[in-house]
Amino acid sequence: MFAIAELSIKKLKEPAFFIMFLTALLLSYMFSEVDPLSDQTAAGSLLSQVLKSDRGYSLLTSSFFAFTITVIIAVFTGATDIPRDIESRMIMLIMSKPLKKTEYLMGKFLGILGLCAIFFFSTEFVILIAHYIKTHEMYSFMVIVRQFYLFLALLPLCALSVTVSCFLPDLSAMIITAVYLLFSISFSTVPLLVAMLPSGLAGAFESYIFVFYYFFPNFVYFFQTCHVVGIVPLFLLIYALSSTLILLAIANVRIRTRDLI
Amino acid sequence: MHSKLKAGYAILIPAFFIYFFSESVLRQSAVANVEPGTMNVDSVIAKLPSGLREAFSYRLDVSKLRDAIARAPNDVELAVLYQNLADILRDPLEKEDLYYKALNLIPDQPEVSRAYTYFLLRKEARMTISIPQYHRYIAKLPPPEQFYTWNAGLATMRAAKMPIQDIYGYLAPLASERPAYRDFRRLYEELADISRKMRRSDMEERAKDLEDYCFDLPSIDESLSQDLKKKIQVLQKK
Protein backbone atom coordinates (compact mmCIF):
# COMPACT_ATOMS: atom_id res chain seq x y z
CA MET A 1 0.00 0.00 0.00
CA PHE A 2 2.78 2.41 0.93
CA ALA A 3 4.73 1.37 -2.16
CA ILE A 4 1.74 2.44 -4.27
CA ALA A 5 1.64 5.73 -2.35
CA GLU A 6 5.33 6.18 -2.96
CA LEU A 7 4.77 5.74 -6.71
CA SER A 8 2.34 8.66 -6.69
CA ILE A 9 4.56 10.87 -4.56
CA LYS A 10 7.53 10.18 -6.86
CA LYS A 11 5.62 12.05 -9.58
CA LEU A 12 7.04 15.16 -7.99
CA LYS A 13 10.30 14.29 -9.72
CA GLU A 14 8.63 14.67 -13.12
CA PRO A 15 9.63 17.97 -14.78
CA ALA A 16 6.04 19.24 -15.10
CA PHE A 17 5.32 18.69 -11.41
CA PHE A 18 8.65 20.09 -10.36
CA ILE A 19 8.12 23.29 -12.40
CA MET A 20 4.63 23.66 -10.95
CA PHE A 21 6.02 23.11 -7.46
CA LEU A 22 8.64 25.83 -7.92
CA THR A 23 6.02 28.19 -9.41
CA ALA A 24 3.76 27.58 -6.40
CA LEU A 25 6.61 28.42 -4.02
CA LEU A 26 7.48 31.57 -5.96
CA LEU A 27 3.86 32.75 -6.09
CA SER A 28 3.33 32.02 -2.39
CA TYR A 29 6.36 34.23 -1.64
CA MET A 30 4.84 37.02 -3.73
CA PHE A 31 1.36 36.74 -2.16
CA SER A 32 2.53 36.27 1.43
CA GLU A 33 1.51 39.76 2.63
CA VAL A 34 -2.02 39.96 1.24
CA ASP A 35 -4.72 40.99 3.78
CA PRO A 36 -6.67 38.24 5.60
CA LEU A 37 -9.31 36.35 3.65
CA SER A 38 -12.14 38.01 5.62
CA ASP A 39 -11.07 41.39 4.16
CA GLN A 40 -11.27 40.07 0.59
CA THR A 41 -15.01 39.41 0.67
CA ALA A 42 -17.72 42.09 0.30
CA ALA A 43 -18.39 43.83 3.61
CA GLY A 44 -21.64 42.71 5.23
CA SER A 45 -21.96 39.63 3.04
CA LEU A 46 -22.67 36.27 4.61
CA LEU A 47 -19.24 34.95 3.69
CA SER A 48 -17.44 37.96 5.21
CA GLN A 49 -19.33 37.39 8.47
CA VAL A 50 -18.47 33.69 8.53
CA LEU A 51 -14.81 34.50 7.85
CA LYS A 52 -14.50 37.58 10.09
CA SER A 53 -11.57 37.62 12.41
CA ASP A 54 -12.91 38.72 15.80
CA ARG A 55 -13.96 35.23 16.95
CA GLY A 56 -10.74 33.28 16.75
CA TYR A 57 -7.96 32.97 14.21
CA SER A 58 -8.82 33.73 10.64
CA LEU A 59 -7.41 32.31 7.48
CA LEU A 60 -4.73 34.23 5.59
CA THR A 61 -5.41 34.92 1.94
CA SER A 62 -1.97 33.51 1.16
CA SER A 63 -3.02 30.22 2.82
CA PHE A 64 -6.15 30.19 0.71
CA PHE A 65 -3.90 30.70 -2.28
CA ALA A 66 -1.70 27.76 -1.20
CA PHE A 67 -4.84 25.68 -0.78
CA THR A 68 -6.09 26.60 -4.26
CA ILE A 69 -2.81 25.50 -5.86
CA THR A 70 -3.01 22.22 -3.94
CA VAL A 71 -6.61 21.71 -5.06
CA ILE A 72 -5.49 21.99 -8.67
CA ILE A 73 -2.84 19.32 -8.03
CA ALA A 74 -5.37 17.11 -6.22
CA VAL A 75 -7.86 17.32 -9.09
CA PHE A 76 -5.34 16.86 -11.88
CA THR A 77 -3.40 14.02 -10.23
CA GLY A 78 -6.14 12.37 -8.22
CA ALA A 79 -8.57 12.14 -11.11
CA THR A 80 -6.03 10.75 -13.60
CA ASP A 81 -3.83 8.36 -11.61
CA ILE A 82 -6.05 5.27 -11.53
CA PRO A 83 -7.48 5.63 -15.09
CA ARG A 84 -3.93 5.95 -16.47
CA ASP A 85 -2.82 2.84 -14.56
CA ILE A 86 -5.74 0.98 -16.15
CA GLU A 87 -5.12 2.37 -19.65
CA SER A 88 -1.38 1.60 -19.57
CA ARG A 89 -2.02 -1.88 -18.11
CA MET A 90 0.26 -0.91 -15.22
CA ILE A 91 -2.54 -2.06 -12.92
CA MET A 92 -2.14 -5.65 -14.16
CA LEU A 93 1.49 -5.54 -13.12
CA ILE A 94 0.60 -4.12 -9.72
CA MET A 95 -2.21 -6.62 -9.17
CA SER A 96 0.16 -9.52 -9.90
CA LYS A 97 1.81 -8.66 -6.57
CA PRO A 98 0.29 -9.84 -3.27
CA LEU A 99 -1.87 -6.72 -3.03
CA LYS A 100 -5.59 -6.32 -2.57
CA LYS A 101 -7.63 -3.86 -4.64
CA THR A 102 -8.58 -2.01 -1.45
CA GLU A 103 -4.91 -1.65 -0.54
CA TYR A 104 -4.19 -0.37 -4.06
CA LEU A 105 -6.97 2.22 -3.67
CA MET A 106 -5.74 3.29 -0.24
CA GLY A 107 -2.19 3.50 -1.60
CA LYS A 108 -3.38 5.80 -4.39
CA PHE A 109 -5.32 7.93 -1.92
CA LEU A 110 -2.38 8.24 0.47
CA GLY A 111 -0.04 8.96 -2.41
CA ILE A 112 -2.16 11.82 -3.73
CA LEU A 113 -2.70 13.09 -0.20
CA GLY A 114 1.06 12.97 0.37
CA LEU A 115 1.70 14.87 -2.84
CA CYS A 116 -0.86 17.48 -1.80
CA ALA A 117 0.69 17.65 1.68
CA ILE A 118 4.11 18.38 0.18
CA PHE A 119 2.62 21.16 -1.99
CA PHE A 120 0.49 22.65 0.79
CA PHE A 121 3.01 22.57 3.64
CA SER A 122 5.87 23.76 1.42
CA THR A 123 3.88 26.76 0.20
CA GLU A 124 2.74 27.46 3.78
CA PHE A 125 6.33 27.41 5.03
CA VAL A 126 7.38 29.74 2.23
CA ILE A 127 4.55 32.10 3.23
CA LEU A 128 5.72 32.08 6.87
CA ILE A 129 9.35 32.62 5.92
CA ALA A 130 8.41 35.34 3.41
CA HIS A 131 6.42 37.11 6.11
CA TYR A 132 9.45 37.00 8.42
CA ILE A 133 11.78 38.26 5.67
CA LYS A 134 9.44 41.12 4.71
CA THR A 135 8.34 42.25 8.20
CA HIS A 136 10.98 40.77 10.56
CA GLU A 137 8.08 39.36 12.59
CA MET A 138 6.71 35.85 12.88
CA TYR A 139 3.00 35.03 12.85
CA SER A 140 1.79 33.87 16.25
CA PHE A 141 1.85 30.12 16.85
CA MET A 142 -1.98 30.00 16.95
CA VAL A 143 -2.32 31.75 13.58
CA ILE A 144 0.17 29.29 12.05
CA VAL A 145 -1.70 26.27 13.47
CA ARG A 146 -5.01 27.66 12.16
CA GLN A 147 -3.54 27.85 8.64
CA PHE A 148 -2.48 24.20 8.82
CA TYR A 149 -6.06 23.15 9.68
CA LEU A 150 -6.89 23.92 6.07
CA PHE A 151 -5.11 20.69 5.19
CA LEU A 152 -8.15 18.84 6.58
CA ALA A 153 -10.17 20.03 3.58
CA LEU A 154 -7.74 18.16 1.33
CA LEU A 155 -8.78 14.81 2.80
CA PRO A 156 -12.31 14.72 1.32
CA LEU A 157 -11.02 16.50 -1.77
CA CYS A 158 -8.40 13.83 -2.55
CA ALA A 159 -10.92 11.10 -1.72
CA LEU A 160 -13.39 12.75 -4.10
CA SER A 161 -10.98 12.88 -7.01
CA VAL A 162 -9.90 9.26 -6.42
CA THR A 163 -13.54 8.15 -6.21
CA VAL A 164 -14.52 9.88 -9.45
CA SER A 165 -11.45 8.38 -11.14
CA CYS A 166 -12.69 4.89 -10.24
CA PHE A 167 -15.79 5.49 -12.37
CA LEU A 168 -14.53 7.46 -15.38
CA PRO A 169 -11.60 7.76 -17.81
CA ASP A 170 -8.93 10.35 -16.92
CA LEU A 171 -10.16 13.41 -18.83
CA SER A 172 -13.83 12.91 -17.92
CA ALA A 173 -12.87 12.30 -14.28
CA MET A 174 -10.89 15.55 -14.20
CA ILE A 175 -13.79 17.55 -15.67
CA ILE A 176 -16.41 15.93 -13.45
CA THR A 177 -14.30 16.46 -10.31
CA ALA A 178 -13.77 20.14 -11.20
CA VAL A 179 -17.49 20.66 -11.94
CA TYR A 180 -18.45 18.84 -8.75
CA LEU A 181 -16.10 21.07 -6.76
CA LEU A 182 -17.39 24.26 -8.36
CA PHE A 183 -20.97 23.21 -7.69
CA SER A 184 -20.07 22.31 -4.12
CA ILE A 185 -18.53 25.77 -3.56
CA SER A 186 -21.40 27.65 -5.20
CA PHE A 187 -23.99 25.71 -3.20
CA SER A 188 -22.10 25.94 0.10
CA THR A 189 -23.77 29.09 1.48
CA VAL A 190 -27.33 28.01 0.64
CA PRO A 191 -27.80 25.76 3.74
CA LEU A 192 -26.37 28.55 5.91
CA LEU A 193 -28.93 30.98 4.49
CA VAL A 194 -31.72 28.43 4.90
CA ALA A 195 -30.63 27.80 8.50
CA MET A 196 -31.02 31.53 9.20
CA LEU A 197 -34.63 31.61 8.03
CA PRO A 198 -37.38 31.32 10.66
CA SER A 199 -38.28 27.72 11.41
CA GLY A 200 -41.20 26.42 9.38
CA LEU A 201 -40.78 28.95 6.59
CA ALA A 202 -38.97 26.54 4.32
CA GLY A 203 -41.19 23.60 5.32
CA ALA A 204 -40.79 20.41 3.34
CA PHE A 205 -38.70 22.30 0.81
CA GLU A 206 -35.91 22.55 3.40
CA SER A 207 -35.67 18.75 3.55
CA TYR A 208 -35.18 18.51 -0.22
CA ILE A 209 -32.43 21.16 -0.09
CA PHE A 210 -30.56 19.32 2.64
CA VAL A 211 -30.90 15.89 1.01
CA PHE A 212 -29.38 17.38 -2.13
CA TYR A 213 -26.78 19.35 -0.18
CA TYR A 214 -25.44 16.32 1.74
CA PHE A 215 -24.09 14.96 -1.56
CA PHE A 216 -21.54 17.79 -1.61
CA PRO A 217 -18.89 18.39 1.06
CA ASN A 218 -19.09 22.00 2.26
CA PHE A 219 -15.59 23.47 2.00
CA VAL A 220 -16.67 26.85 3.44
CA TYR A 221 -16.58 25.27 6.92
CA PHE A 222 -12.82 24.82 6.57
CA PHE A 223 -12.40 28.53 5.83
CA GLN A 224 -14.38 29.86 8.78
CA THR A 225 -12.68 31.73 11.58
CA CYS A 226 -12.21 29.52 14.63
CA HIS A 227 -10.10 28.98 17.71
CA VAL A 228 -7.21 26.55 17.51
CA VAL A 229 -8.61 24.38 20.29
CA GLY A 230 -12.34 23.89 20.58
CA ILE A 231 -15.44 22.35 19.13
CA VAL A 232 -15.01 23.73 15.61
CA PRO A 233 -11.52 22.24 14.93
CA LEU A 234 -12.62 18.96 16.47
CA PHE A 235 -15.69 18.75 14.28
CA LEU A 236 -13.73 19.88 11.24
CA LEU A 237 -11.54 16.84 11.77
CA ILE A 238 -14.54 14.56 12.29
CA TYR A 239 -16.32 16.02 9.23
CA ALA A 240 -13.22 15.62 7.07
CA LEU A 241 -12.61 12.03 8.21
CA SER A 242 -16.22 10.90 7.91
CA SER A 243 -16.72 12.39 4.44
CA THR A 244 -13.38 10.91 3.32
CA LEU A 245 -14.39 7.50 4.64
CA ILE A 246 -17.74 7.61 2.82
CA LEU A 247 -16.14 8.64 -0.47
CA LEU A 248 -13.41 5.99 -0.20
CA ALA A 249 -16.00 3.33 0.64
CA ILE A 250 -17.86 4.19 -2.58
CA ALA A 251 -14.57 4.07 -4.50
CA ASN A 252 -13.73 0.72 -2.90
CA VAL A 253 -17.03 -0.83 -3.95
CA ARG A 254 -16.43 0.39 -7.50
CA ILE A 255 -12.83 -0.75 -7.84
CA ARG A 256 -13.62 -4.17 -6.39
CA THR A 257 -16.42 -4.76 -8.86
CA ARG A 258 -15.13 -3.10 -12.03
CA ASP A 259 -13.20 -4.75 -14.83
CA LEU A 260 -9.61 -3.49 -14.66
CA ILE A 261 -8.58 -4.64 -18.15
CA MET B 1 -17.26 -12.25 1.84
CA HIS B 2 -20.35 -11.99 4.00
CA SER B 3 -18.34 -10.92 7.03
CA LYS B 4 -16.52 -8.30 4.91
CA LEU B 5 -19.86 -6.87 3.83
CA LYS B 6 -20.98 -6.72 7.45
CA ALA B 7 -17.75 -4.98 8.41
CA GLY B 8 -18.28 -2.49 5.57
CA TYR B 9 -21.76 -1.64 6.80
CA ALA B 10 -20.48 -1.46 10.40
CA ILE B 11 -18.08 1.28 9.31
CA LEU B 12 -20.25 3.07 6.76
CA ILE B 13 -23.46 3.50 8.77
CA PRO B 14 -21.74 5.20 11.75
CA ALA B 15 -19.68 7.22 9.22
CA PHE B 16 -22.89 8.60 7.71
CA PHE B 17 -24.30 9.49 11.14
CA ILE B 18 -21.04 11.17 12.15
CA TYR B 19 -20.96 13.04 8.82
CA PHE B 20 -24.51 14.40 9.31
CA PHE B 21 -23.91 15.27 12.95
CA SER B 22 -20.57 17.01 12.38
CA GLU B 23 -22.02 18.94 9.43
CA SER B 24 -24.90 20.10 11.60
CA VAL B 25 -22.50 21.30 14.35
CA LEU B 26 -20.31 23.13 11.81
CA ARG B 27 -23.36 24.74 10.18
CA GLN B 28 -24.59 26.03 13.51
CA SER B 29 -21.12 27.34 14.28
CA ALA B 30 -20.98 29.18 10.93
CA VAL B 31 -24.47 30.64 11.45
CA ALA B 32 -23.50 31.73 14.99
CA ASN B 33 -20.75 33.90 13.47
CA VAL B 34 -23.38 36.00 11.69
CA GLU B 35 -24.26 39.17 13.61
CA PRO B 36 -27.93 39.21 14.59
CA GLY B 37 -29.73 42.07 12.86
CA THR B 38 -27.41 42.25 9.86
CA MET B 39 -29.34 39.54 8.07
CA ASN B 40 -33.11 39.84 8.07
CA VAL B 41 -35.40 37.36 6.33
CA ASP B 42 -35.75 39.49 3.19
CA SER B 43 -31.99 39.96 2.77
CA VAL B 44 -31.39 36.25 3.36
CA ILE B 45 -33.97 35.33 0.71
CA ALA B 46 -32.47 37.88 -1.70
CA LYS B 47 -29.13 36.06 -1.49
CA LEU B 48 -30.59 32.66 -2.43
CA PRO B 49 -30.40 31.32 -6.02
CA SER B 50 -33.36 32.43 -8.14
CA GLY B 51 -35.21 29.10 -8.09
CA LEU B 52 -35.02 28.85 -4.30
CA ARG B 53 -35.69 32.58 -3.88
CA GLU B 54 -39.08 32.30 -5.59
CA ALA B 55 -40.12 29.33 -3.45
CA PHE B 56 -39.08 31.01 -0.19
CA SER B 57 -40.54 34.41 -1.18
CA TYR B 58 -43.85 32.70 -1.84
CA ARG B 59 -43.82 31.04 1.57
CA LEU B 60 -42.77 34.27 3.24
CA ASP B 61 -45.50 36.30 1.51
CA VAL B 62 -48.11 33.70 2.45
CA SER B 63 -47.01 33.61 6.09
CA LYS B 64 -46.97 37.44 6.28
CA LEU B 65 -50.51 37.62 4.89
CA ARG B 66 -51.74 34.92 7.26
CA ASP B 67 -50.29 36.90 10.17
CA ALA B 68 -51.96 40.07 8.87
CA ILE B 69 -55.29 38.23 8.57
CA ALA B 70 -55.01 37.13 12.19
CA ARG B 71 -54.53 40.79 13.21
CA ALA B 72 -57.04 42.43 10.81
CA PRO B 73 -58.81 45.28 12.65
CA ASN B 74 -62.11 45.27 10.71
CA ASP B 75 -64.14 43.39 8.11
CA VAL B 76 -63.11 45.58 5.18
CA GLU B 77 -59.41 45.09 5.97
CA LEU B 78 -60.01 41.36 6.48
CA ALA B 79 -61.80 41.00 3.13
CA VAL B 80 -58.95 42.81 1.34
CA LEU B 81 -56.37 40.57 3.04
CA TYR B 82 -58.36 37.44 2.15
CA GLN B 83 -58.25 38.51 -1.48
CA ASN B 84 -54.56 39.42 -1.32
CA LEU B 85 -53.80 35.95 0.00
CA ALA B 86 -56.12 34.30 -2.51
CA ASP B 87 -54.36 36.16 -5.35
CA ILE B 88 -51.01 34.55 -4.58
CA LEU B 89 -52.08 31.10 -3.27
CA ARG B 90 -51.37 28.11 -5.49
CA ASP B 91 -53.93 25.81 -3.88
CA PRO B 92 -57.13 26.36 -5.94
CA LEU B 93 -59.48 25.14 -3.19
CA GLU B 94 -58.09 27.48 -0.54
CA LYS B 95 -57.98 30.31 -3.07
CA GLU B 96 -61.68 29.84 -3.82
CA ASP B 97 -62.51 29.54 -0.15
CA LEU B 98 -60.83 32.86 0.62
CA TYR B 99 -62.57 34.72 -2.21
CA TYR B 100 -65.85 33.22 -1.00
CA LYS B 101 -65.18 34.39 2.58
CA ALA B 102 -64.33 37.90 1.36
CA LEU B 103 -67.47 38.10 -0.74
CA ASN B 104 -69.69 37.00 2.14
CA LEU B 105 -67.97 39.30 4.61
CA ILE B 106 -68.77 42.60 2.87
CA PRO B 107 -71.02 41.84 -0.13
CA ASP B 108 -71.47 44.57 -2.76
CA GLN B 109 -68.63 46.69 -1.35
CA PRO B 110 -66.02 48.11 -3.76
CA GLU B 111 -63.25 46.27 -1.86
CA VAL B 112 -64.41 42.82 -3.00
CA SER B 113 -64.19 43.42 -6.73
CA ARG B 114 -61.47 40.76 -7.10
CA ALA B 115 -63.73 38.15 -5.52
CA TYR B 116 -66.58 39.16 -7.85
CA THR B 117 -64.27 38.87 -10.84
CA TYR B 118 -63.01 35.47 -9.64
CA PHE B 119 -66.50 33.97 -9.49
CA LEU B 120 -67.66 35.59 -12.75
CA LEU B 121 -69.17 32.76 -14.85
CA ARG B 122 -67.09 30.20 -12.91
CA LYS B 123 -69.47 27.27 -13.12
CA GLU B 124 -67.39 24.70 -11.26
CA ALA B 125 -66.93 26.96 -8.22
CA ARG B 126 -69.10 26.92 -5.08
CA MET B 127 -70.81 30.10 -6.31
CA THR B 128 -71.17 31.69 -9.72
CA ILE B 129 -71.64 35.36 -10.50
CA SER B 130 -73.70 35.84 -13.66
CA ILE B 131 -73.10 38.69 -16.10
CA PRO B 132 -76.24 40.63 -14.93
CA GLN B 133 -75.12 40.21 -11.28
CA TYR B 134 -71.68 41.51 -12.24
CA HIS B 135 -73.21 44.49 -14.06
CA ARG B 136 -75.34 45.32 -11.00
CA TYR B 137 -72.22 45.19 -8.84
CA ILE B 138 -70.27 47.47 -11.23
CA ALA B 139 -73.11 50.00 -11.17
CA LYS B 140 -72.69 50.38 -7.41
CA LEU B 141 -68.96 51.20 -7.68
CA PRO B 142 -67.35 54.66 -7.87
CA PRO B 143 -66.33 55.60 -11.49
CA PRO B 144 -62.58 54.78 -11.34
CA GLU B 145 -63.26 51.34 -9.81
CA GLN B 146 -65.93 50.77 -12.46
CA PHE B 147 -63.33 50.89 -15.21
CA TYR B 148 -60.95 48.50 -13.44
CA THR B 149 -63.78 46.07 -12.70
CA TRP B 150 -65.04 46.15 -16.30
CA ASN B 151 -61.50 45.48 -17.44
CA ALA B 152 -60.91 42.67 -14.92
CA GLY B 153 -64.16 41.00 -15.96
CA LEU B 154 -63.18 41.16 -19.62
CA ALA B 155 -59.73 39.72 -18.85
CA THR B 156 -61.34 36.86 -16.89
CA MET B 157 -63.69 36.06 -19.77
CA ARG B 158 -60.83 36.16 -22.26
CA ALA B 159 -58.71 33.88 -20.05
CA ALA B 160 -61.64 31.43 -19.76
CA LYS B 161 -62.00 31.56 -23.59
CA MET B 162 -65.66 32.50 -23.39
CA PRO B 163 -67.61 32.57 -26.68
CA ILE B 164 -67.73 35.93 -28.46
CA GLN B 165 -71.50 36.15 -27.84
CA ASP B 166 -70.92 36.09 -24.06
CA ILE B 167 -68.26 38.80 -24.30
CA TYR B 168 -70.63 40.85 -26.45
CA GLY B 169 -73.35 40.40 -23.83
CA TYR B 170 -70.90 41.47 -21.16
CA LEU B 171 -69.73 44.65 -22.93
CA ALA B 172 -73.03 45.68 -24.55
CA PRO B 173 -74.37 47.71 -21.55
CA LEU B 174 -71.37 50.05 -21.97
CA ALA B 175 -73.00 51.37 -25.14
CA SER B 176 -75.85 52.87 -23.14
CA GLU B 177 -73.52 54.71 -20.73
CA ARG B 178 -71.55 57.91 -21.00
CA PRO B 179 -67.94 57.13 -20.07
CA ALA B 180 -66.25 59.27 -17.43
CA TYR B 181 -62.61 58.62 -18.35
CA ARG B 182 -60.41 58.31 -21.42
CA ASP B 183 -59.36 54.85 -20.21
CA PHE B 184 -62.75 53.46 -21.27
CA ARG B 185 -61.64 53.88 -24.90
CA ARG B 186 -60.07 50.40 -24.87
CA LEU B 187 -63.33 48.80 -23.81
CA TYR B 188 -65.30 50.62 -26.55
CA GLU B 189 -62.66 49.62 -29.07
CA GLU B 190 -63.14 46.01 -28.00
CA LEU B 191 -66.92 46.33 -28.19
CA ALA B 192 -66.72 47.86 -31.68
CA ASP B 193 -64.45 45.03 -32.82
CA ILE B 194 -66.74 42.32 -31.46
CA SER B 195 -69.82 44.06 -32.91
CA ARG B 196 -68.16 44.13 -36.32
CA LYS B 197 -67.43 40.39 -36.07
CA MET B 198 -71.05 39.75 -35.07
CA ARG B 199 -72.31 42.06 -37.86
CA ARG B 200 -74.09 44.36 -35.39
CA SER B 201 -73.40 47.54 -37.32
CA ASP B 202 -75.67 49.71 -35.11
CA MET B 203 -73.71 48.67 -31.99
CA GLU B 204 -70.41 49.05 -33.83
CA GLU B 205 -71.29 52.64 -34.81
CA ARG B 206 -72.38 53.47 -31.27
CA ALA B 207 -69.21 51.96 -29.78
CA LYS B 208 -67.03 53.90 -32.23
CA ASP B 209 -68.82 57.15 -31.40
CA LEU B 210 -68.21 56.56 -27.69
CA GLU B 211 -64.60 55.60 -28.39
CA ASP B 212 -64.13 58.96 -30.15
CA TYR B 213 -65.90 60.68 -27.28
CA CYS B 214 -63.36 59.16 -24.83
CA PHE B 215 -60.45 60.99 -26.53
CA ASP B 216 -61.55 64.34 -25.05
CA LEU B 217 -61.96 62.99 -21.52
CA PRO B 218 -59.32 63.06 -18.76
CA SER B 219 -57.65 59.81 -17.83
CA ILE B 220 -58.22 58.25 -14.40
CA ASP B 221 -54.68 59.18 -13.32
CA GLU B 222 -55.11 62.81 -14.41
CA SER B 223 -58.49 63.04 -12.71
CA LEU B 224 -57.20 61.55 -9.45
CA SER B 225 -54.14 63.83 -9.41
CA GLN B 226 -56.37 66.88 -9.99
CA ASP B 227 -58.60 65.79 -7.10
CA LEU B 228 -55.52 65.36 -4.96
CA LYS B 229 -54.24 68.83 -5.85
CA LYS B 230 -57.61 70.33 -4.94
CA LYS B 231 -57.58 68.54 -1.60
CA ILE B 232 -54.06 69.78 -0.89
CA GLN B 233 -55.05 73.35 -1.78
CA VAL B 234 -58.07 73.14 0.57
CA LEU B 235 -55.85 71.81 3.34
CA GLN B 236 -53.28 74.57 2.72
CA LYS B 237 -56.00 77.21 2.92
CA LYS B 238 -57.19 75.76 6.22
Side-chain angles (χ1 to χ4, degrees), chain A residues 21-98:
Chain A
F21 182 61
L22 289 181
T23 312
L25 297 183
L26 187 70
L27 289 173
S28 58
Y29 181 85
M30 287 162 64
F31 286 94
S32 63
E33 294 309 302
V34 182
D35 291 334
L37 194 60
S38 53
D39 296 349
Q40 307 295 328
T41 48
S45 69
L46 177 68
L47 212 54
S48 76
Q49 299 208 42
V50 171
L51 301 176
K52 70 183 173 209
S53 55
D54 59 345
R55 289 187 186 176
Y57 301 96
S58 67
L59 206 63
L60 298 171
T61 305
S62 43
S63 296
F64 180 74
F65 175 75
F67 175 76
T68 309
I69 294 174
T70 317
V71 167
I72 294 167
I73 295 296
V75 172
F76 277 74
T77 318
T80 55
D81 229 16
I82 294 176
R84 279 181 189 170
D85 272 3
I86 295 169
E87 270 175 36
S88 64
R89 305 286 175 94
M90 170 71 99
I91 198 156
M92 300 312 292
L93 187 70
I94 295 166
M95 285 299 139
S96 66
K97 309 286 176 195

Side-chain angles (χ1 to χ4, degrees), chain B residues 19 34 52 59 71 76 100 110-111 163 188 192 197 199 214 222:
Chain B
Y19 171 70
V34 179
L52 293 175
R59 284 179 172 276
R71 293 193 306 268
V76 174
Y100 185 75
E111 287 81 4
Y188 286 111
K197 284 176 187 164
R199 296 180 182 173
C214 287
E222 286 166 1

Side-chain angles (χ1 to χ4, degrees), chain A residues 44-46 49-50 52 55 190-198 201-203 205 209-210 213-214 216-217 221 224-225 231-232 235-236 238-239 242-243 245-246 249 256, chain B residues 1 4 11-12 15-16 18-36 38-39 41 43-45 47-49 51-52 55-56 59-60 63:
Chain A
S45 69
L46 177 68
Q49 299 208 42
V50 171
K52 70 183 173 209
R55 289 187 186 176
V190 173
L192 301 181
L193 290 164
V194 172
M196 283 194 287
L197 292 172
L201 179 63
F205 201 64
I209 290 173
F210 278 102
Y213 159 73
Y214 280 126
F216 302 91
Y221 294 148
Q224 67 176 306
T225 296
I231 288 177
V232 175
F235 276 91
L236 278 178
I238 295 170
Y239 183 64
S242 57
S243 49
L245 189 64
I246 291 164
R256 283 165 69 97
Chain B
M1 184 67 186
K4 277 182 185 171
I11 295 168
L12 256 185
F16 269 107
I18 292 167
Y19 171 70
F20 294 140
F21 180 65
S22 58
E23 194 283 332
S24 162
V25 172
L26 291 170
R27 189 177 349 123
Q28 291 309 314
S29 147
V31 171
N33 273 351
V34 179
E35 287 285 338
T38 55
M39 293 267 168
V41 177
S43 72
V44 168
I45 288 175
K47 287 177 200 306
L48 289 167
L52 293 175
F56 282 109
R59 284 179 172 276
L60 183 66
S63 65

Side-chain angles (χ1 to χ4, degrees), chain B residues 76-124:
Chain B
V76 174
E77 189 84 9
L78 187 60
V80 170
L81 288 167
Y82 277 152
Q83 291 173 102
N84 289 351
L85 182 57
D87 284 347
I88 63 165
L89 276 180
R90 290 169 190 164
D91 176 10
L93 287 176
E94 199 182 352
K95 186 190 268 279
E96 187 180 307
D97 186 49
L98 286 165
Y99 281 129
Y100 185 75
K101 278 183 186 173
L103 205 57
N104 284 322
L105 205 62
I106 46 165
D108 299 341
Q109 295 294 307
E111 287 81 4
V112 286
S113 63
R114 279 178 285 166
Y116 262 95
T117 309
Y118 178 81
F119 287 113
L120 176 64
L121 300 177
R122 196 177 280 262
K123 285 177 185 147
E124 73 281 9

